[in-house]
């Protein structure tokens, strides 16, 4: 199984278009140790021919152009795409808007929870993806299913499961507990190669590694995990936004309640951070934050990174 990080940044990308924080300024001016990043998404394939997107970021057109495996192949005719399916982990703008790049009557399947599908179905702009070409398929939680798309069995199974988090910002109900969030608003995915029986986990958004999630991830060979913030208050401290990571539904990397500590006893083969916010000091490859992450045996993912299982 081939796993490629198409985009490793959180919403807004890196540099963020309207941000003059230290990190964004550094990457714009070419400071060594900083690299630009597009918004969060993976691409996976069993055979290197047919591909599945895990989330569809607003930067998807650029990501396709930057990834030769996703290019249209002339031997298949005037119109072709290796992308046969897209699996969505939540309704965040930075995970669903990229679907609109895939219009032009190209067949593929969209998989999402009932809550995310309801959001897509309620927005008429997504009608550019005509359902006779792009079926929308509900993922039931904790029920593995085979991925198919455009008439192709992709040789992969997916199991979706709820993780601690919250509903997308634009869907928040401030009058309800946890802003109206319900199971299925934020999910993780277990992807398994049906031939090799190898699997990995993808969890780009998560508020806490609770006992249930820790038990699920124990001894996993590879986990791609939420790396939004290094510290809970970093956006407040930098004057970027009056919100903590916890308020946004994201666990921090550091601290006794952070993800580095949470994963320390889980015997995960590789922990790769994705969905990294522009405020995160770990984006500086020479920072103390990056040294802390690497000393713990974790990795900071980057656009174009490839992992094979």
């Amino acid at each position: 199984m081939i796993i490629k990080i198409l985009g490793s940044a959180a919403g807004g990308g890196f540099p963020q278009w309207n941000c003059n924080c230290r990190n964004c300024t550094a990457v714009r001016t070419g400071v060594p140790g900083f690299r630009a990043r597009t918004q969060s998404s993976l691409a996976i394939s069993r055979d290197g021919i047919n591909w599945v997107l895990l989330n569809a970021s607003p930067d998807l057109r650029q990501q396709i152009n930057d990834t030769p495996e996703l290019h249209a192949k002339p031997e298949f005719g005037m119109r072709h795409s290796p992308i046969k399916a897209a699996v969505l982990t939540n309704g965040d703008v930075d995970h669903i808007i990229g679907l609109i790049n895939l219009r032009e009557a190209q067949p593929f399947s969209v998989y999402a929870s009932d809550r995310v599908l309801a959001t897509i179905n309620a927005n008429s702009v997504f009608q550019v993806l005509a359902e006779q070409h792009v079926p929308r398929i509900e993922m039931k939680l904790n029920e593995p299913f085979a991925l198919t798309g455009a008439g192709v069995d992709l040789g992969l199974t997916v199991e979706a499961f709820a993780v601690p988090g919250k509903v997308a910002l634009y869907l928040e109900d401030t009058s309800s507990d946890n802003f109206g969030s319900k199971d299925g608003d934020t999910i993780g995915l277990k992807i398994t190669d049906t031939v090799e029986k190898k699997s990995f986990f993808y969890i780009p958004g998560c508020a806490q590694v609770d006992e249930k999630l820790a038990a699920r991830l124990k001894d996993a060979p590879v986990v791609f995990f939420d790396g939004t913030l290094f510290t809970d208050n970093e956006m407040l401290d930098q004057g970027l936004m009056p919100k903590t990571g916890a308020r946004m539904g994201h666990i921090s990397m550091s601290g006794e309640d952070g993800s580095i500590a949470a994963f320390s006893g889980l015997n995960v083969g590789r922990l790769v951070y994705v969905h990294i916010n522009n405020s995160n000091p770990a984006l500086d490859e020479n920072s103390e934050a990056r040294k802390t992450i690497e000393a713990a045996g974790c990795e900071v993912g980057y656009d174009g990174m490839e992992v094979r299982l």
Side-chain angles (χ1 to χ4, degrees):
M1 180 162 43
I2 307 167
I3 308 161
K4 295 185 73 73
I5 297 181
L6 299 182
S8 55
F14 182 61
Q16 184 172 301
W17 69 279
N18 65 340
C19 187
N20 286 314
C21 72
R22 173 185 176 275
N23 285 348
C24 288
T25 300
V27 75
R28 284 195 188 101
T29 56
V31 174
F34 291 85
R35 65 175 82 194
R37 300 163 185 268
T38 58
Q39 294 169 88
S40 180
S41 181
L42 300 188
I44 60 173
S45 177
R46 166 72 183 85
D47 57 12
I49 299 171
N50 299 299
W51 289 81
V52 179
L53 302 177
L54 304 185
N55 290 324
S57 90
D59 299 320
L60 181 56
R61 182 179 180 277
Q62 177 185 337
Q63 292 167 346
I64 291 172
N65 287 341
D66 291 343
T67 308
E69 295 92 334
L70 301 183
H71 292 178
K73 304 299 188 294
E75 61 266 29
F76 292 103
M78 293 300 293
R79 293 292 181 97
H80 165 260
S81 172
I83 297 170
K84 305 303 181 186
V87 184
L88 310 178
T89 62
N90 61 18
D92 283 353
V93 169
D94 46 314
H95 286 163
I96 67 173
I97 291 300
L99 292 173
I100 296 171
N101 289 285
L102 303 179
R103 61 193 185 276
E104 311 296 352
Q106 187 67 42
F108 68 100
S109 299
V110 173
Y111 293 88
S113 70
D114 58 346
R115 295 263 285 172
V116 173
L117 288 180
T119 299
I120 291 173
N121 292 338
N123 192 324
S124 60
V125 71
F126 288 102
Q127 295 306 317
V128 298
L129 300 172
E131 288 196 60
Q132 66 266 34
H133 301 296
V134 184
R136 302 169 185 181
I137 303 166
E138 180 183 344
M139 293 190 296
K140 300 289 187 180
L141 297 182
N142 306 308
E143 295 183 11
F145 62 91
L147 276 178
T148 63
V152 177
D153 180 348
L154 297 168
L156 302 168
T157 62
V158 175
E159 181 181 357
F161 51 92
V163 300
K166 74 170 190 65
V167 72
L169 175 63
Y170 65 96
L171 296 174
E172 285 185 0
D173 179 358
T174 56
S175 66
S176 300
D177 292 341
N178 198 23
F179 309 102
S181 303
K182 297 181 180 179
D183 279 356
D185 285 329
T186 300
I187 62 174
L189 303 173
K190 180 181 182 181
I191 313 292
T192 303
D193 181 324
T194 57
V195 176
E196 299 292 336
K197 307 301 181 184
K198 295 179 179 179
S199 61
F200 74 95
F201 289 88
Y202 177 55
I203 309 172
C206 186
Q208 178 190 14
V209 180
D210 58 15
E211 290 184 7
K212 187 175 181 179
L213 180 57
R216 187 186 292 271
L217 298 180
K218 186 172 176 56
D219 300 323
V222 180
V223 178
F224 293 87
F225 193 76
D226 185 346
T228 306
L229 304 179
F230 190 74
T231 59
D232 191 52
N233 290 326
E234 71 187 45
M235 290 192 297
L236 284 167
D237 294 342
Q238 295 177 40
L240 298 176
M241 183 181 290
K243 290 182 181 180
T244 64
R247 167 61 180 86
M248 297 190 302
H250 294 286
I251 188 173
S252 298
M253 294 176 171
S254 65
E256 61 181 19
D257 296 322
S259 58
I260 294 174
F263 276 91
S264 63
L266 299 185
N267 194 39
V268 168
R270 293 180 71 177
L271 174 63
V272 182
Y273 283 114
V274 291
H275 196 275
I276 305 162
N277 198 58
N278 62 289
S279 61
N280 194 322
L283 290 172
D284 179 355
E285 296 172 6
N286 300 309
S287 66
E288 290 303 313
R290 179 66 73 93
K291 292 175 184 176
T292 297
I293 292 166
E294 293 176 346
C298 308
E299 303 173 60
V300 175
Y302 55 88
D303 292 23
M305 181 180 182
E306 181 175 297
V307 175
R308 292 187 176 238
L309 292 176

